[in-house]
Amino acid sequence: MDHARAAISNLFGGEPTSYTRFSIARQTDGDNSHVEMNLAADEEEGGEIGKPEHLHASMPPPRRNGKNLCFIIMAAVLLLLIGFLIGYLSYRGRMQRVNRCLDGSGNCEMTPTASYISDVGTEEEEVPGSRILYWPELRNMLSAKLSSARLEANLRQREGKNSFEAGKAEDESTASYIHEQFTSFRLDDVWNDEHYVRLQDKGSSKNQVFTIQDVLEELESPDAYVAYSKSGTVTGKPIYVNYGRKEDFQKVRNMRVPMNGTIMIFRAGKITLAEKVANARKEGAVGALMYLDPSNDKKADSCVPFGHAHLGTGDPFTPGFPSFNHTQFPPVESSGLPHIPVQTISREAAAKLFGKMDGEKCLQEWTSGIMGCKVTVSSSSKMTVELTVNNVMVDRKILNIFGVIKGFEEPDRYVVLGAQRDSWGPGAAKAGVGTAILLELARVISDMVKNDGYKPRRSIIFASWSAGEFGAVGATEWLEGYSTTLHAKAFTYINLDTAVLGSRDVKISASPLLYSLLEATMKKVKDPAKDSGNLYSRVGSDWIQRVVPLDLDNAAFPFLAYSGIPVVSFGFYDEGDEYSFLGTTEDTLANLKGKTDKLYLLMRTAAEVAGQIALRLTHDHELFLDFDRYSDELLSFQEKLWHFDSHVKALGLTLNWLYFARGDFQRAADALRRDITNSDMENRIVRRALNDRMMKVEYDFLSPYLSPKDAPFRHIFFGKGSHTLQSLLENLEQLEVNKTSVDVNKLKEQLALATWTIKGAANALVGDIWNTDNEI
């Protein structure tokens, strides 16, 4: 110690004046942990307190020794190097784990689920004695617990019942049953939302379709009806327009067939009934008829499907507003109402109608398996069709039923699994399958939490919707009622409806944010059609090219296009041989089992896919949302625009600003990826901030320049309206065909909306305002 004092004194050119001396004295009870610290200062004269004076006199003068200084410096440097290496290796290990989770491969298999925030600091530590469940174990546990027998029992709850129409007795009885089941599963909370909505029901007398050719002859008086059709009687010449798509109407125009004042006929498929009716109304139709597309099952020839004609979702008489009882509704209605009578008919009735038409024959691709298909009647024919619709408006109370498993770390962030409960007929495929899967997943996941030690970081909500047949009314009203909360807290919706309509092919609709997670999931789920192999081997590496865009009849659509929440909808079907009884009174368990002999195995597989997605999103530290996919989507869209550069420049406009905005989003995505790679993802505060940036990507593609009331589906990729990228592309294609037919001011507005929505998404992705790229 004296040598050290001397060395330090030498270094600063003076004699030492004070030092600290430590002494450790063993206690009599054997405890040597007591430490006594004495501070001493040399006085110029005299002794120290408690120390004899001769101590100073006997001390030798300090020696100046350079070796001591060297040893001290070397020891300090060595300690610094050791500390740096320990810190670096620890940090590097964490970052390697983060990178494995973020490379899109899904290989973050060893992330423990049992982690908590300690009382001091922000570092997480595992609770002693708490069981840690790693992802492979969790995944296998889910698979082992899912029961085909329970799925069958859930589905058989609908047997022997003819209808579950929204707001009526059977619908409410099923709602009570689901509420009881959620409670018996010991979910953390179970509740229901009541909504008072305006629906349409069939009137006291049946709707009727007649042909008039010298005499009035009844074609059909079906029991089924189309909700939100205009009531009344109309007469007009019949015109067949295939699927009722825009391109189909264009072909009829090319034939120079007048369409104003006519009754349009189309077959089901390709687009929704509401979209077909909207296209017909634009062409001047006074009424519309639709029949089921022919299939291999001849029993369906006499079936008449139900449907709705509202070009939108939710209650059309409270657009943009939630239909709670206490709401004072403004006197408005949705612009998507058809305002023309609409009715569905059977294939037999359609064939009979074609037999009475004597005009031009259908195009080869339009024949649809019906003999004698005609586009219209001849110019000399006096044959017309009379359509009478007697539907009536009704006000009903509907119930949405919810149950939740609350997250242990972030209960205010949640995944939602939902299924439609109501149906016009027995609804085995339409509502029964999805409801059965919902109940089974609620049971299994709750059991994993209550009995097997799984502690999800985030919450899982199970939702049973009513009035889905009328256009996702229950789901939309819930979204409208909690719109300010849900977009910031719900980060994924998993749709369970119509999960089994066949067995041969896989149908996927999803947000690009979930492509990577869905692919990783399919690689770990066994293909039910094979003894070996997984679902990914069935869909192939190019499965993304076959992703089906969400339509208005899918309950996931308003989550994505209205609320900006990533969604996934997964199911089995037979391409080219659709399940013919969907939406009819013959949608029974017997007919569904006749479609596939592996019904319950397919249901179990669909449940496993949905369950794995929900568990993975609530298990991992980082949200498995691949925001880089949107960079790819924007680049793909930009490549489609290059062809129109010269046409746009001829108008004195440019596409460069749109290209610059896309580049900004790409750079913002790269910046977020770097932030994730370089951040301490074990830190809860840092992790939550980065996850929130990923969560908001979908929401930021809702154009902020539009009113949710006037344009509810504001998503520029998946919405509906002139603000979408698809609408912009169609306008540019029209510019190439006929320059004078394009409204230049509308084109300017479309370019501005697209550019600044993408730019805004880029700014939000970057994070803090001072990090944004403010040059465009």
Side-chain angles (χ1 to χ4, degrees):
M1 180 64 76
D2 294 333
H3 291 169
R5 288 182 65 206
I8 295 171
S9 177
N10 245 350
L11 186 62
F12 292 100
E15 292 294 327
T17 60
S18 66
Y19 67 96
T20 302
R21 183 173 68 249
F22 294 84
S23 65
I24 301 178
R26 181 178 296 277
Q27 303 301 304
T28 56
D29 61 1
D31 181 7
N32 64 353
S33 62
H34 174 71
V35 178
E36 177 184 345
M37 182 173 71
N38 295 325
L39 297 177
D42 294 339
E43 301 293 336
E44 289 183 2
E45 297 179 57
E48 296 177 335
I49 298 175
K51 188 177 295 185
E53 289 188 20
H54 69 269
L55 181 62
H56 287 284
S58 64
M59 289 179 65
R63 292 176 295 175
R64 302 177 184 273
N65 193 337
K67 289 184 177 180
N68 293 329
L69 178 60
C70 290
F71 287 144
I72 291 172
I73 294 173
M74 290 174 63
V77 171
L78 183 61
L79 287 172
L80 285 172
L81 285 173
I82 291 172
F84 174 79
L85 287 172
I86 291 173
Y88 171 76
L89 291 174
S90 174
Y91 178 81
R92 185 169 180 268
R94 288 199 303 270
M95 288 305 101
Q96 286 177 337
R97 290 198 299 274
V98 170
N99 288 338
R100 286 198 298 271
C101 288
L102 295 170
D103 62 4
S105 65
N107 295 324
C108 22
E109 301 285 330
M110 304 305 290
T111 307
T113 66
S115 58
Y116 301 87
I117 301 299
S118 61
D119 291 334
V120 286
T122 58
E123 286 295 309
E124 293 186 323
E125 59 180 18
E126 295 166 9
V127 176
S130 178
R131 184 184 178 195
I132 298 174
L133 289 175
Y134 297 99
W135 173 242
E137 184 181 4
L138 194 65
R139 186 181 63 221
N140 294 336
M141 185 186 297
L142 171 72
S143 182
K145 287 179 177 289
L146 287 171
S147 167
S148 295
R150 285 186 175 272
L151 286 166
E152 179 179 359
N154 290 340
L155 183 54
R156 288 191 180 278
Q157 287 290 323
R158 302 179 81 88
E159 274 194 308
K161 298 170 184 175
N162 296 324
S163 175
F164 295 81
E165 191 168 337
K168 291 189 176 180
E170 287 298 343
D171 178 44
E172 290 195 354
S173 175
T174 306
S176 298
Y177 172 76
I178 292 170
H179 194 285
E180 292 169 3
Q181 289 294 296
F182 282 172
T183 303
S184 71
F185 298 153
R186 296 187 298 161
L187 300 185
D188 294 328
D189 201 359
V190 179
W191 74 100
N192 63 272
D193 270 355
E194 293 182 355
H195 298 272
Y196 292 81
V197 297
R198 180 162 291 183
L199 307 177
Q200 198 176 54
D201 203 348
K202 57 185 176 183
S204 55
S205 57
K206 289 185 177 182
N207 298 340
Q208 294 178 304
V209 183
F210 294 92
T211 57
I212 304 173
Q213 192 173 21
D214 298 329
V215 295
L216 185 70
E217 181 181 348
E218 182 177 282
L219 188 68
E220 195 164 48
S221 297
D223 289 323
Y225 69 98
V226 175
Y228 303 122
S229 164
K230 180 182 178 180
S231 295
T233 299
V234 292
T235 304
K237 286 189 175 183
I239 294 182
Y240 174 59
V241 283
N242 198 26
Y243 289 111
R245 299 167 297 185
K246 291 180 180 179
E247 55 266 37
D248 295 327
F249 280 99
Q250 182 59 49
K251 289 178 180 177
V252 174
R253 283 195 294 270
N254 293 342
M255 297 177 191
R256 302 191 181 281
V257 176
M259 290 182 279
N260 192 50
T262 60
I263 292 180
M264 301 292 186
I265 310 164
F266 23 68
R267 51 176 167 160
K270 303 301 182 182
I271 59 176
T272 65
L273 172 57
E275 290 171 299
K276 299 173 192 288
V277 173
N279 291 338
R281 188 185 172 205
K282 287 180 182 177
E283 299 296 335
V286 295
L289 301 171
M290 186 188 77
Y291 65 93
L292 288 174
D293 207 8
S295 71
N296 297 330
D297 195 332
K298 297 302 179 184
K299 290 189 300 181
D301 285 350
S302 59
C303 289
V304 182
F306 289 81
H308 76 89
H310 175 216
L311 190 66
T313 65
D315 184 347
F317 297 96
T318 60
F321 296 92
S323 295
F324 290 114
N325 192 31
H326 55 77
T327 302
Q328 299 299 310
F329 301 131
V332 295
E333 64 179 39
S334 170
S335 60
L337 288 172
H339 297 294
I340 60 173
V342 185
Q343 179 59 46
T344 48
I345 58 175
S346 66
R347 289 180 203 150
E348 291 175 346
K352 188 176 178 181
L353 179 56
F354 284 138
K356 294 178 176 292
M357 295 163 60
D358 61 351
E360 190 170 347
K361 291 183 178 181
C362 293
L363 301 173
Q364 182 63 36
E365 62 270 24
W366 286 18
T367 53
S368 73
I370 291 183
M371 297 298 292
C373 176
K374 306 288 195 313
V375 173
T376 186
V377 295
S378 63
S379 57
S380 59
S381 174
K382 295 181 180 179
M383 198 271 276
T384 58
V385 172
E386 181 181 285
L387 169 61
T388 299
V389 174
N390 298 308
N391 298 350
V392 294
M393 301 304 303
V394 293
D395 292 320
R396 287 190 192 149
K397 180 185 76 173
I398 62 170
L399 298 173
N400 292 329
I401 310 299
F402 300 94
V404 64
I405 296 172
K406 295 180 181 178
F408 284 74
E409 184 179 296
E410 294 183 283
D412 60 339
R413 299 289 184 267
Y414 30 83
V415 174
V416 182
L417 295 103
Q420 171 183 324
R421 184 181 69 247
D422 67 296
S423 60
W424 272 303
K430 191 69 177 285
V433 168
T435 298
I437 293 173
L438 179 74
L439 289 171
E440 178 65 357
L441 285 173
R443 181 192 69 84
V444 168
I445 297 176
S446 180
D447 185 58
M448 292 168 65
V449 173
K450 303 300 182 185
N451 300 321
D452 295 296
Y454 174 48
K455 292 180 169 54
R457 286 190 168 86
R458 305 168 192 96
S459 299
I460 303 175
I461 292 177
F462 303 91
S464 174
W465 312 116
S466 185
E469 294 278 45
F470 293 84
V473 172
T476 302
E477 296 308 315
W478 186 64
L479 291 170
E480 290 176 343
Y482 303 98
S483 59
T484 56
T485 300
L486 289 174
H487 81 269
K489 295 187 176 183
F491 58 89
T492 296
Y493 177 71
I494 303 169
N495 183 41
L496 306 175
D497 293 336
T498 59
V500 181
L501 297 175
S503 58
R504 194 172 58 239
D505 302 293
V506 176
K507 185 176 183 179
I508 299 170
S509 299
S511 160
L513 289 174
L514 294 169
Y515 285 173
S516 294
L517 174 55
L518 188 55
E519 183 168 303
T521 300
M522 290 191 292
K523 288 179 179 178
K524 298 298 183 180
V525 176
K526 183 180 177 182
D527 187 343
K530 300 178 182 178
D531 295 332
S532 61
N534 53 42
L535 284 175
Y536 182 73
S537 63
R538 183 199 283 213
V539 300
S541 58
D542 60 344
W543 66 273
I544 293 176
Q545 298 175 18
R546 297 188 299 278
V547 169
V548 179
L550 288 167
D551 60 43
L552 288 164
D553 288 343
N554 191 314
F557 180 79
F559 278 85
L560 180 63
Y562 174 78
S563 293
I565 297 171
V567 302
V568 59
S569 184
F570 177 94
F572 297 95
Y573 77 119
D574 295 333
E575 188 174 6
D577 183 20
E578 305 290 342
Y579 175 63
S580 301
F581 303 105
L582 190 69
T584 73
T585 55
E586 296 301 315
D587 182 13
T588 62
L589 179 57
N591 281 331
L592 183 57
K593 290 177 71 175
K595 182 63 176 171
T596 172
D597 58 356
K598 296 182 178 180
L599 172 61
Y600 303 116
L601 185 58
L602 291 165
M603 288 174 63
R604 187 189 177 284
T605 303
E608 189 170 358
V609 171
Q612 279 202 31
I613 292 172
L615 290 177
R616 193 65 183 270
L617 288 168
T618 56
H619 165 275
D620 289 357
H621 280 97
E622 304 84 31
L623 290 179
F624 208 137
L625 299 177
D626 190 357
F627 50 87
D628 288 317
R629 292 285 187 177
Y630 265 119
S631 295
D632 299 338
E633 293 291 323
L634 285 169
L635 182 59
S636 175
F637 176 70
Q638 179 174 310
E639 290 171 353
K640 295 176 182 177
L641 296 183
W642 286 337
H643 177 68
F644 305 105
D645 270 344
S646 58
H647 300 285
V648 173
K649 286 179 181 177
L651 297 176
L653 304 174
T654 179
L655 296 174
N656 287 342
W657 303 117
L658 192 55
Y659 300 159
F660 294 154
R662 187 212 63 81
D664 288 343
F665 186 88
Q666 177 69 66
R667 287 186 289 276
D670 293 342
L672 177 54
R673 184 64 67 201
R674 285 194 301 272
D675 287 349
I676 294 172
T677 303
N678 297 328
S679 297
D680 179 8
M681 295 301 284
E682 299 293 327
N683 184 310
R684 178 179 175 180
I685 296 174
V686 171
R687 183 170 70 241
R688 184 176 171 96
L690 292 172
N691 281 340
D692 282 354
R693 283 164 67 183
M694 286 188 276
M695 276 178 59
K696 285 191 87 278
V697 170
E698 199 77 73
Y699 180 79
D700 290 329
F701 282 115
L702 302 185
S703 180
Y705 308 102
L706 301 171
S707 164
K709 176 179 170 294
D710 299 326
F713 308 122
R714 296 176 292 145
H715 203 296
I716 62 171
F717 281 95
F718 302 107
K720 299 289 183 182
S722 61
H723 62 282
T724 62
L725 299 182
Q726 180 60 35
S727 180
L728 171 60
L729 190 60
E730 290 173 359
N731 216 8
L732 291 173
E733 290 171 348
Q734 186 61 31
L735 178 65
E736 185 179 32
V737 174
N738 185 357
K739 179 179 177 180
T740 59
S741 65
V742 174
D743 185 338
V744 177
N745 288 328
K746 179 182 177 181
L747 181 60
K748 286 181 179 179
E749 182 177 326
Q750 287 180 309
L751 289 171
L753 287 172
T755 299
W756 287 105
T757 300
I758 295 169
K759 176 66 176 174
N763 291 343
L765 193 62
V766 166
D768 294 313
I769 192 68
W770 49 84
N771 291 327
T772 59
D773 182 357
N774 58 9
E775 294 183 9
I776 185 167

